[in-house]
């Protein structure tokens, strides 16, 4: 048995055509074969000439996850705010017309056409009215530097970088994001990033991040290495683990990674790509639908549903698919109130930061680090008088007021 076969995931079921877990497994091969047959049939057709200005109206993931059924039932992400951190997004793209997309970047980066295409594709997957997972969600975008997008000089502010992942995660949380989607590697490792993750967790914001496309254990270069972050690997349409997908201790779930249809930048013609970027955006969109369906559930309980309904046998964890393929059906049909209000992915396999104690310290306002920039909402309430001396950090200090000091 090959590794891909061992990691094969059951095909997803329609959120509204109920199939039991045993039936789901029994029908997986039939469903996957049908999907492949349709894809093969589509390839035999001679497509009409298309211009890059025209929206691509058909994506395999849309039928794979039965998103037409979800829309018919009103599951569109309405009322949910998603943040997308990555390359710039071309909001004039035809596929994004009518979508609620706002660039809230703190500075400007100059991206290559490939970088803009990637950022725009992620936004399309999330909120396009044509084939987005959560077309009625509000999407805030934040530009950061990547291999194909560099700062034009406006992103440096003294010793601080305005578009660092730590700063952008904090801003996204401050701007009201409930889901943060990241589809690129994050190799930076500093106190600011760790405490930004702690801030998101303490505010009930779910971060979803791609696992990478290195076909190796790339945990150290991906955001999924941090506690509480939903690392996402990729599977093929037949449920097998994608050969290009990276893996590691940070992986929590897996999802369809392609083929995704976009435009070839050199010819303007449709072309297909694959990647965990697609997988992460799809999972972020699914989480938005779950938050819409269950507005009274905590982020911890939504994550409990994700973990406890993963399609691995008995929802067991492995470094390739996490707890198994994300099931949109279960995310919108499983009442989160049956689960405890406890984050099930705080500590990743092999250990991760921030720790449970560090997150509690942040929540109690007793974290101070002169090397980190904290969001404006953070108030230092500890007893270290040195904190009051760092005026350049713009840190609000109320010494000795932490609720920890008053707990019995």
């Amino acid at each position: 048995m090959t590794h891909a076969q061992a990691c094969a995931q059951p095909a997803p079921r329609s959120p509204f055509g109920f199939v039991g877990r045993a039936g789901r497994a029994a029908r997986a091969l039939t469903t996957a074969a049908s999907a492949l047959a349709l894809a093969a049939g589509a390839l035999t057709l001679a497509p009409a000439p298309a211009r890059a200005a025209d929206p691509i109206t058909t994506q395999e993931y849309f039928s794979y996850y039965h998103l037409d059924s979800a829309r018919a039932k009103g599951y569109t992400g309405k009322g949910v705010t998603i943040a997308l951190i990555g390359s710039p997004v071309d909001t004039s793209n035809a596929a994004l017309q009518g979508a609620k997309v706002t660039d809230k970047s703190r500075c400007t980066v100059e991206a290559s056409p490939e970088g803009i295409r990637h950022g725009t594709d992620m936004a399309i997957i999330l909120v396009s009215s044509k084939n987005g997972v959560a077309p009625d969600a509000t999407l805030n975008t934040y530009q950061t530097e990547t291999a194909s997008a560099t700062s034009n000089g406006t992103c440096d502010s003294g010793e601080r970088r305005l578009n660092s992942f730590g700063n952008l995660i904090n801003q996204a949380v401050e701007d009201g994001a409930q889901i943060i989607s990241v589809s690129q590697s994050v190799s930076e490792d500093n106190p600011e990033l760790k405490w930004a993750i702690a801030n998101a967790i303490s505010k009930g914001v779910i971060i979803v991040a791609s696992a990478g496309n290195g076909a190796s254990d790339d945990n150290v270069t991906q955001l999924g290495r941090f506690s509480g972050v939903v690392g996402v690997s990729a599977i093929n349409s037949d449920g097998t683990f994608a050969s290009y997908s990276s893996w590691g201790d940070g992986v929590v779930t897996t999802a369809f990674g392609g083929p995704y249809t976009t435009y070839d930048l050199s010819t303007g013609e449709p072309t297909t790509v694959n990647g965990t970027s697609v997988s992460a955006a799809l999972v972020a969109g699914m989480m938005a639908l779950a938050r819409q369906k269950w507005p009274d559930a905590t982020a911890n309980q939504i994550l409990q549903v994700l973990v406890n309904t993963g399609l691995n046998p008995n929802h067991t964890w492995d470094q390739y698919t996490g707890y198994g393929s994300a099931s949109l059906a279960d995310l919108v049909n499983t009442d989160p109130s049956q689960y405890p209000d406890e984050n099930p992915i705080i500590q990743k396999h092999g250990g991760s930061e921030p720790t449970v104690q560090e997150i509690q310290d942040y929540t109690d306002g007793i974290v101070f680090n002169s090397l980190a920039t904290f969001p404006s909402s953070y108030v230092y309430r500890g007893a270290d008088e040195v904190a009051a001396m760092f005026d350049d950090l713009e840190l609000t200090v109320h010494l000795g007021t932490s609720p920890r000091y008053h707990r019995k």
Side-chain angles (χ1 to χ4, degrees), residues 51-331:
R51 297 180 297 107
D54 295 332
I56 294 170
T57 57
T58 302
Q59 294 287 357
E60 188 172 347
Y61 65 77
F62 198 86
S63 58
Y64 186 83
Y65 288 110
H66 306 284
L67 291 171
D68 53 345
S69 297
R71 289 190 179 190
K73 282 291 185 180
Y75 300 151
T76 60
K78 186 175 183 179
V80 178
T81 299
I82 305 171
L84 175 63
I85 299 178
S87 301
V89 173
D90 177 11
T91 56
S92 68
N93 188 286
L96 291 175
Q97 296 310 296
K100 292 175 283 188
V101 183
T102 303
D103 181 11
K104 295 213 169 197
S105 303
R106 305 187 69 179
C107 56
T108 302
V109 301
E110 297 174 349
S112 68
E114 178 64 30
I116 296 174
R117 188 193 75 167
H118 184 271
T120 305
D121 283 346
M122 297 304 101
I124 289 171
I125 292 171
L126 287 166
V127 297
S128 170
S129 62
K130 306 296 183 183
N131 40 49
V133 181
D136 287 336
T138 295
L139 181 66
N140 294 332
T141 65
Y142 303 84
Q143 301 175 23
T144 188
E145 292 183 60
T146 67
S148 56
T150 58
S151 169
N152 63 5
T154 66
C155 294
D156 295 323
S157 177
E159 297 181 355
R160 298 169 52 192
R161 189 159 62 88
L162 295 178
N163 65 343
S164 69
F165 273 94
N167 270 327
L168 293 181
I169 289 172
N170 279 332
Q171 184 185 353
V173 174
E174 296 287 289
D175 289 342
Q178 295 156 283
I179 312 290
I180 297 177
S181 182
V182 179
S183 286
Q184 65 182 69
S185 61
V186 183
S187 56
E188 64 183 67
D189 191 5
N190 51 52
E192 178 179 82
L193 182 53
K194 179 177 79 171
W195 294 120
I197 299 292
N199 178 43
I201 293 173
S202 70
K203 301 289 177 52
V205 179
I206 297 173
I207 302 176
V208 180
S210 58
N213 301 322
S216 60
D217 185 341
D218 290 336
N219 195 61
V220 297
T221 64
Q222 305 301 321
L223 197 63
R225 69 186 182 274
F226 285 95
S227 302
V229 176
V230 181
V232 187
S233 63
I235 54 173
N236 301 310
S237 58
D238 63 355
T240 56
F241 191 72
S243 60
Y244 56 81
S245 180
S246 294
W247 61 82
D249 288 338
V251 173
V252 172
T253 189
T254 189
F256 179 90
Y260 171 79
T261 304
T262 184
Y263 280 103
D264 185 304
L265 296 175
S266 61
T267 66
E269 295 297 319
T271 188
T272 57
V273 296
N274 301 273
T276 60
S277 291
V278 173
S279 308
L282 287 171
V283 171
M286 292 183 209
M287 301 302 279
L289 299 190
R291 298 217 74 165
Q292 176 198 2
K293 173 65 184 296
W294 307 105
D296 296 328
T298 66
N300 291 342
Q301 289 172 319
I302 296 294
L303 290 172
Q304 287 276 2
V305 175
L306 177 69
V307 166
N308 284 285
T309 62
L311 298 184
N312 277 354
N314 300 317
H315 323 301
T316 54
W317 180 89
D318 66 57
Q319 64 180 336
Y320 299 100
T321 61
Y323 295 92
S325 181
S327 170
L328 176 57
D330 288 310
L331 284 168

